Amino acid sequence: MYVFNALVSTAVFMVSEFEFIDNLRSKYGLDKIGDDSAVLPKDADTDLLVTADMLIEDIDFRLEWTAPELLGHKTLAVSLSDIAAMGGEPEWAMLSLGIPESLWKTDFIDRFYIGWFEVADEFGVELVGGDISRAPDKLVIDSIVGGEVAKGKAIMRSGAKSGDLIYVTGRLGGAAGGLKLLERGFDITTDLHDPTAGLALRQLKTTPQLKTANLLQQLNIATSMIDLSDGLTSDLAHICSASGVGARIYAGRLPIDDDLRSYFTYDEYLEMALHGGEDFELLFTVSPNDFEGVPGTCIGEITDHGMELVKNGETKPLQSKGYEHFS
Ligand code: ADP
Ligand code: MG
């Protein structure tokens, strides 16, 4: 009760979930909180990685915009992305579901597991447990994944140094563009052959970047890493604050998702690439001495402090404005 009151009394002054978590960490001295996965000592050669994600209907997904198989697929993929962000290998998962009675009576859950196991089989993840409960009227999903990394080799958010180069894998903004199309009425059940389906699937069918993470681990070049869940500016801000550094990003170097150019204006897709969430690509930093053969696009460099964007030769402060549950 004491703990509950103490947290509530602090929460009154909070403005964002990130400040809440920071406060929790410092208030109770929790040094394992704050990265994409917790790193726990396993044995002399190995560290254990554990990550948790909660997905709530109508907050994190809309049932009318997706298919049960796609939701199952995304549930596991987003957790695997957090293991990738540490440069680790996934091993096992626990999946808990709060299911409204209306869904229990359908084939929804069976189809959800078909999508979930598609990803589990692809990446060699074993389901080792979970929980099922009846939920009042919205689906609640709690996904936990465990993995491993060689001792001391987890790639943290906190290792970026001034002068390091900033890289991203893949292309940016596609998931945000897909979300926009879903909001405008794209229907996954009927429009799969529509030219915009690729963008919608960037939002609905996440690919965890475990292969690239594994390569980065072998190359031993990433000084810091995070996965892009909230959006480039937000996630870059997490690296900056954890590492005590700043960053300069060049708009012209951003690898824009090609499909975005067909359906949105330059300003719209630049906004999506900078601030849109859920691409689940990797954002990482590399020492300038290690620039050869890096699996990604160099989009800028780490500075001493502050974030800035260079666009059309002009340098301006860059605000982080990705997704926040409470702001
Ligand atoms: P990600 O986007 O990588 O999943 P989050 O932004 O959800 O990460 O969380 C940031 C950090 O805060 C993580 O280390 C996570 O484990 C931790 N965290 C989030 N919510 C809580 C909570 N309620 N209690 C303790 N730690 C939390
Ligand atoms: Mg993450």
Side-chain angles (χ1 to χ4, degrees):
M1 195 61 193
Y2 167 77
V3 172
F4 180 72
N5 280 335
L7 282 178
V8 168
S9 66
T10 319
V12 171
F13 302 103
M14 292 295 164
V15 290
S16 77
E17 66 201 85
F18 305 112
E19 281 161 307
F20 181 86
I21 291 166
D22 262 0
N23 191 274
L24 193 67
R25 272 164 58 110
S26 53
K27 191 164 189 161
Y28 296 99
L30 309 172
D31 64 347
K32 292 186 177 57
I33 290 182
D35 223 299
D36 295 292
S37 307
V39 184
L40 310 172
K42 187 185 173 203
D43 56 37
D45 305 320
T46 321
D47 285 328
L48 183 67
L49 300 172
V50 188
T51 179
D53 287 289
M54 186 137 80
L55 291 96
I56 309 260
E57 183 183 346
D58 290 348
I59 302 290
D60 300 290
F61 61 88
R62 297 276 289 267
L63 286 183
E64 63 273 29
W65 288 353
T66 190
E69 295 85 353
L70 289 173
L71 187 60
H73 183 110
K74 184 165 177 176
T75 293
L76 181 55
V78 301
S79 292
L80 296 186
S81 179
D82 277 325
I83 299 288
M86 309 302 292
E89 294 285 349
E91 304 270 330
W92 52 263
M94 301 192 85
L95 177 62
S96 301
L97 300 172
I99 306 169
E101 199 162 13
S102 54
L103 281 186
W104 185 251
K105 292 175 179 158
T106 69
D107 63 355
F108 184 92
I109 301 298
D110 277 347
R111 293 175 59 193
F112 176 93
Y113 273 97
I114 288 172
W116 193 94
F117 273 107
E118 209 179 277
V119 181
D121 291 346
E122 182 178 348
F123 294 103
V125 175
E126 185 185 2
L127 183 61
V128 296
D131 196 14
I132 288 191
S133 173
R134 188 161 77 182
D137 61 351
K138 301 286 177 199
L139 180 64
V140 178
I141 305 168
D142 181 51
S143 164
I144 295 176
V145 169
E148 289 186 358
V149 65
K151 186 119 219 132
K153 289 290 186 188
I155 305 168
M156 313 299 290
R157 297 175 179 182
S158 53
K161 302 262 180 311
S162 185
D164 282 357
L165 303 174
I166 303 170
Y167 285 82
V168 284
T169 60
R171 321 234 26 114
L172 301 179
L179 183 61
K180 219 358 131 268
L181 296 175
L182 289 160
E183 285 166 357
R184 288 181 187 171
F186 178 94
D187 183 348
I188 197 74
T189 57
T190 55
D191 300 342
L192 253 190
H193 297 291
D194 192 271
T196 54
L199 278 180
L201 287 173
R202 291 284 285 153
Q203 166 63 222
L204 300 174
K205 199 173 184 191
T206 299
T207 306
Q209 298 303 316
L210 282 160
K211 247 198 208 137
T212 309
N214 185 281
L215 179 59
L216 283 169
Q217 190 58 266
Q218 283 172 36
L219 293 170
N220 198 23
I221 54 173
T223 53
S224 72
M225 184 146 70
I226 190 169
D227 64 325
L228 292 177
S229 55
D230 299 330
L232 175 63
T233 53
S234 289
D235 292 317
L236 181 61
H238 292 324
I239 285 196
C240 288
S241 91
S243 300
V245 295
R248 185 181 303 117
I249 296 295
Y250 297 86
R253 294 197 202 165
L254 294 174
I256 306 285
D257 197 304
D258 292 323
D259 287 341
L260 289 176
R261 297 180 206 273
S262 314
Y263 306 104
F264 299 100
T265 65
Y266 173 77
D267 285 345
E268 282 173 336
Y269 64 68
L270 184 62
E271 181 85 5
M272 289 170 183
L274 281 172
H275 308 295
E278 311 240 4
D279 282 326
F280 293 101
E281 295 293 343
L282 296 172
L283 173 71
F284 58 97
T285 55
V286 161
S287 152
N289 305 320
D290 291 327
F291 67 93
E292 270 178 277
V294 181
T297 306
C298 181
I299 59 168
E301 62 259 350
I302 295 291
T303 61
D304 289 336
H305 53 80
M307 294 205 311
E308 51 194 30
L309 179 70
V310 183
K311 187 179 158 193
N312 302 327
E314 254 186 281
T315 304
K316 290 191 178 153
L318 179 61
Q319 307 292 338
S320 66
K321 47 174 177 164
Y323 187 75
E324 283 186 32
H325 284 277
F326 305 100
S327 54

